């Protein structure tokens, strides 16, 4: 995955995020629109109750049908809590608040506090022949619940979105892991045939008048190729873990790479504990260190300084691979361990992904970018539990 492709994917993610935000805003808007419509309907219902009360109190006679209609309007309200107060602020009647009627009648302070703190709607005046009264009303329980509906919908959508992202990311990572493991095994298989042939040619060269030092170096490199093939063949399989000394792993990797990286790179090793035993696989751990060092050399364009530092505390061993290269942008630090992600023109973006798999899954350890600053270098940290 090159940088251009990554930027394209990043824009797609932002477009997807924008679409999700628009859906959420539309949901909230429509929900609020429904709530406001219900508020208006309940206000009209209360206004009709006021008109019915005013008709019932008229001095002139009204028809039986009108009387029945006004009674039906006042009695059919079984949802909206109402409190009727006279001109002096005294309690007259309530509807749908039966459990509080005794308090309203006996405790005027409680009544006034209730009207002040619990009633959000403006009172409606009832014009009666013997004096005006006022109806205070609350939202119905249904409307109160619906007011929280937009937040509930947002929460449900958010949880659903998070679950969907988690599920597809897990599925995608699993598929990628199988893909890269398969490619690693196939690479090991393809290396095996020419490697066997080269070993045979090395034996023939020993019979010729060839400088023995050259043959020794060739054998070392062939042995290294053999180890690389074995490492790749173990990706995707459960490795054989044995008591392993991290000091020995660091020293062997350092000695091998010291001869094979640019002379313009200052390469140092510092191991503070004399022994650092863990349950591990030496070949895979060495491959991780080698991969980190070679990535650092490439980033520094074969000029700079690299350090491998092994430290310990009461429960863990830590290995730091430090370079003074160009650093890794913060926006990329979380993605560099993803399979297929690379900023190089060449390569599969496989190295750091496999390194994380080896450290985290096989050795129950941790590998992170501990520190990285522009033009000041990068520090990778590896953590292992003590044996």
């Amino acid at each position: 995955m090159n940088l251009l492709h990554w930027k394209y994917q990043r824009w797609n993610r932002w477009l997807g995020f924008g679409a999700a935000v628009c859906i959420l805003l539309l949901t909230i808007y429509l929900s609020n629109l429904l709530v406001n419509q219900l508020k208006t309907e309940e206000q009209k219902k209360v206004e009709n109750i006021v008109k019915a009360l005013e008709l019932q109190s008229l001095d002139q006679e009204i028809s039986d049908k009108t009387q029945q209609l006004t009674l039906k309007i006042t009695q059919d309200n079984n949802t909206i809590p109402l409190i009727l107060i006279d001109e002096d602020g005294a309690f007259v009647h309530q509807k749908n608040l039966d459990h509080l009627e005794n308090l309203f009648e006996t405790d005027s302070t409680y009544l006034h506090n209730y009207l002040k703190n619990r009633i959000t709607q403006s009172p409606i005046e009832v014009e009666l022949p013997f004096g005006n009264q006022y109806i205070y009303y609350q939202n119905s329980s249904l409307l109160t619940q619906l007011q929280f509906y937009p937040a509930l919908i947002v929460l449900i959508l958010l949880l659903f979105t998070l679950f969907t992202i988690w599920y597809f990311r897990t599925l995608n990572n699993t598929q990628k892991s199988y893909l890269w493991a398969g490619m690693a095994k196939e690479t090991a298989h393809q290396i095996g045939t020419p490697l066997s042939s080269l070993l045979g040619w090395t034996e023939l060269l020993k019979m010729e008048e060839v400088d023995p030092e050259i043959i020794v170096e060739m054998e070392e490199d062939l042995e290294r190729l053999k180890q690389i093939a074995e490492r790749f063949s173990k990706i995707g399989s459960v490795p054989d873990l044995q008591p392993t000394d991290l000091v020995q792993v660091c020293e062997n990797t350092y000695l091998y790479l010291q001869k094979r990286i640019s002379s313009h790179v200052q390469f140092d090793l510092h191991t503070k504990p004399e022994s650092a035993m863990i349950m591990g696989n030496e070949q895979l751990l060495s491959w991780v260190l080698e991969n980190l060092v070679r990535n650092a050399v490439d980033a520094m364009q074969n000029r700079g300084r690299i350090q491998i530092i092994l430290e310990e505390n009461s429960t863990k061993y830590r290995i730091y691979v430090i370079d003074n290269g160009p650093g890794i942008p913060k926006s990329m630090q979380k993605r560099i361990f993803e399979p297929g992600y690379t900023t190089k023109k060449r390569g599969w973006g496989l190295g750091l992904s496999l390194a994380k798999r080896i450290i985290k899954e096989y050795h129950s350890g941790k590998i992170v970018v501990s520190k990285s600053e522009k033009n000041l270098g990068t520090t990778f940290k590896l953590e292992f539990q003590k044996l």
Side-chain angles (χ1 to χ4, degrees), residues 79-241:
T79 57
I80 305 173
L82 301 175
I83 303 175
L84 186 62
I85 304 296
D86 64 18
E87 289 180 327
D88 299 325
F91 173 74
V92 177
H93 183 66
Q94 62 77 27
K95 180 70 172 176
N96 300 320
L97 287 170
D98 296 341
H99 61 292
L100 295 175
E101 183 169 6
N102 187 49
L103 281 172
F104 291 157
E105 289 178 344
T106 59
D107 191 341
S108 60
T109 302
Y110 179 84
L111 172 64
H112 293 151
N113 287 337
Y114 190 92
L115 295 177
K116 180 179 178 181
N117 299 322
R118 299 289 297 276
I119 305 297
T120 57
Q121 312 292 348
S122 299
I124 300 177
E125 186 175 9
V126 184
E127 296 180 359
L128 302 173
F130 49 83
N132 293 344
Q133 295 182 347
Y134 300 89
I135 283 186
Y136 290 81
Y137 70 98
Q138 295 176 246
N139 294 331
S140 65
S141 58
L142 175 61
L143 182 56
T144 301
Q145 292 172 10
L146 285 176
Q147 285 181 322
F148 295 100
Y149 183 70
L152 181 61
I153 288 293
V154 170
L155 180 61
I156 292 173
L157 288 174
L158 181 61
L159 291 175
F160 177 76
T161 302
L162 290 175
F163 173 78
T164 304
I165 291 172
W166 170 83
Y167 176 77
F168 281 105
R169 180 172 291 180
T170 301
L171 184 64
N172 189 38
N173 288 339
T174 301
Q175 291 176 338
K176 284 183 177 181
S177 295
Y178 285 130
L179 173 63
W180 294 122
M183 292 179 67
K185 287 180 177 292
E186 180 61 21
T187 301
H189 176 72
Q190 295 295 334
I191 290 175
T193 302
L195 182 59
S196 299
S197 178
L198 287 171
L199 289 170
W201 282 107
T202 305
E203 293 300 320
L204 288 176
L205 286 175
K206 290 180 181 178
M207 302 177 187
E208 303 293 335
E209 294 182 359
V210 178
D211 187 348
E213 291 186 4
I214 296 176
I215 295 178
V216 169
E217 290 295 327
M218 288 181 63
E219 287 180 330
E220 287 184 3
D221 284 334
L222 287 172
E223 180 63 28
R224 198 66 176 180
L225 279 173
K226 184 179 178 182
Q227 291 179 3
I228 291 171
E230 290 177 359
R231 292 167 183 167
F232 274 94
S233 68
K234 291 176 181 177
I235 300 299
S237 304
V238 179
D240 180 25
L241 301 183

Side-chain angles (χ1 to χ4, degrees), residues 234-239 241 279 284 356-365:
K234 291 176 181 177
I235 300 299
S237 304
V238 179
L241 301 183
M279 289 300 294
L284 293 179
K356 183 175 182 179
R357 183 177 182 134
I358 289 169
I359 299 300
K360 184 177 180 180
E361 296 184 19
Y362 296 161
H363 293 85
S364 300

Side-chain angles (χ1 to χ4, degrees), residues 32-86:
N32 283 330
L33 187 64
L34 175 62
V35 168
N36 289 331
Q37 288 177 346
L38 287 173
K39 278 185 178 180
T40 303
E41 291 297 323
E42 289 193 354
Q43 183 177 355
K44 289 180 179 178
K45 191 173 183 180
V46 174
E47 290 173 351
N48 288 335
I49 292 173
V50 169
K51 295 297 182 184
L53 291 174
E54 290 176 345
L55 281 172
Q56 291 174 5
S57 63
L58 289 176
D59 292 335
Q60 66 223 40
E61 292 187 3
I62 57 176
S63 66
D64 291 341
K65 288 186 177 180
T66 304
Q67 185 73 25
Q68 291 175 1
L69 177 61
T70 57
L71 286 173
K72 182 175 177 57
I73 291 174
T74 56
Q75 292 174 356
D76 281 354
N77 170 35
N78 297 315
T79 57
I80 305 173
L82 301 175
I83 303 175
L84 186 62
I85 304 296
D86 64 18

